Amino acid sequence: MAMRWTARLLLAVLTPCFAAACGDDDVDADADGGEPIPNEWGFDIRYPDDDRLPCTEPGEITTEWPDADWICSFSYDGVDAVVYVQATPVRCEDFMGPVLETRVGQVWVDGVVSPLGDTAYDWGGNHHNDSLEFAFGGRRYLAYHSSIGFGWRACHPMDCLQVSDATGTMLEDGCTCDRTVPAVCVQVRSDGTWDELVDTFAVCPGDSTCGA
């Protein structure tokens, strides 16, 4: 798993941005307004904008990058939690996807909603192997993918957690083929709906590492 994570970071660092016409000024701030969507946890869930950030690449190809708002559930060390994060694209990374800024992060535990610390959502480059990072309870969590299929592409939403202490020292890599710290993540759609938090994970076709 360390090799997978290192490769993803190298892609993000080494790939330049050559988008010709994109930036913070294109962000539609009005999409964040309005009342939160009612939900069973009491999160401040918004209606995501599905055409928020237009980016023009060489060749005059325009792509609209949407918000990426996620709800994830997991259990670790005796705690059952649900987290919600809003991620808004703020600039383009050409064909590698947008750079997103997290503006709201919340966690629900035992009926109480609290702010999340140090939230960050990474689109995951051209292959869209995305990840979600957050902190609470003195630990850092990274939601990622335990299976990568054909063409080094994930076939399923984020499904597992890597857990570290406050210094960044890994406590448990739950994103190996054994998937020892499973998570269920669903994306909030622009119409304000989302799938049930039900674990439907399966190993990706073409993932020889995990036996597919």
Side-chain angles (χ1 to χ4, degrees):
M1 185 62 207
M3 180 182 70
R4 292 182 176 181
W5 183 235
T6 300
R8 191 182 69 80
L9 288 176
L10 285 173
L11 280 173
V13 170
L14 296 178
T15 304
C17 177
F18 56 81
C22 53
D24 296 272
D25 292 340
D26 294 318
V27 175
D28 179 8
D30 292 339
D32 292 340
E35 293 296 320
I37 300 170
N39 59 92
E40 62 186 282
W41 309 283
F43 292 142
D44 295 326
I45 300 178
R46 67 177 174 179
Y47 288 90
D49 191 339
D50 62 0
D51 59 355
R52 175 180 290 272
L53 181 64
C55 300
T56 302
E57 303 172 14
E60 301 302 319
I61 299 173
T62 299
T63 302
E64 302 284 349
W65 292 109
D67 292 333
D69 298 358
W70 288 88
I71 302 170
C72 297
S73 64
F74 66 94
S75 298
Y76 187 75
D77 197 24
V79 175
D80 298 324
V82 181
V83 300
Y84 166 65
V85 172
Q86 293 179 6
T88 300
V90 293
R91 69 178 187 274
C92 301
E93 286 284 336
D94 55 77
F95 67 92
M96 297 299 290
V99 173
L100 296 102
E101 177 182 288
T102 56
R103 298 177 176 176
V104 173
Q106 298 175 309
V107 58
W108 177 97
V109 177
D110 292 333
V112 178
V113 175
S114 306
L116 280 176
D118 297 327
T119 56
Y121 176 76
D122 189 326
W123 180 264
N126 186 40
H127 290 185
H128 192 24
N129 296 329
D130 56 350
S131 62
L132 176 63
E133 189 171 4
F134 54 91
F136 84 98
R139 297 191 179 105
R140 300 192 61 81
Y141 297 83
L142 180 74
Y144 192 52
H145 303 270
S146 60
S147 180
I148 304 291
F150 290 116
W152 198 253
R153 296 177 186 271
C155 66
H156 194 277
M158 297 169 285
D159 66 87
C160 58
L161 292 175
Q162 295 177 332
V163 186
S164 303
D165 65 17
T167 68
T169 301
M170 182 80 74
L171 298 175
E172 183 169 0
D173 182 358
C175 291
T176 64
C177 293
D178 293 331
R179 196 171 171 244
T180 57
V181 188
V184 177
C185 293
V186 295
Q187 189 165 5
V188 181
R189 305 183 187 94
S190 60
D191 65 359
T193 64
W194 53 85
D195 291 334
E196 291 186 54
L197 290 170
V198 176
D199 195 345
T200 59
F201 172 77
V203 173
C204 292
D207 184 359
S208 57
T209 300
C210 293

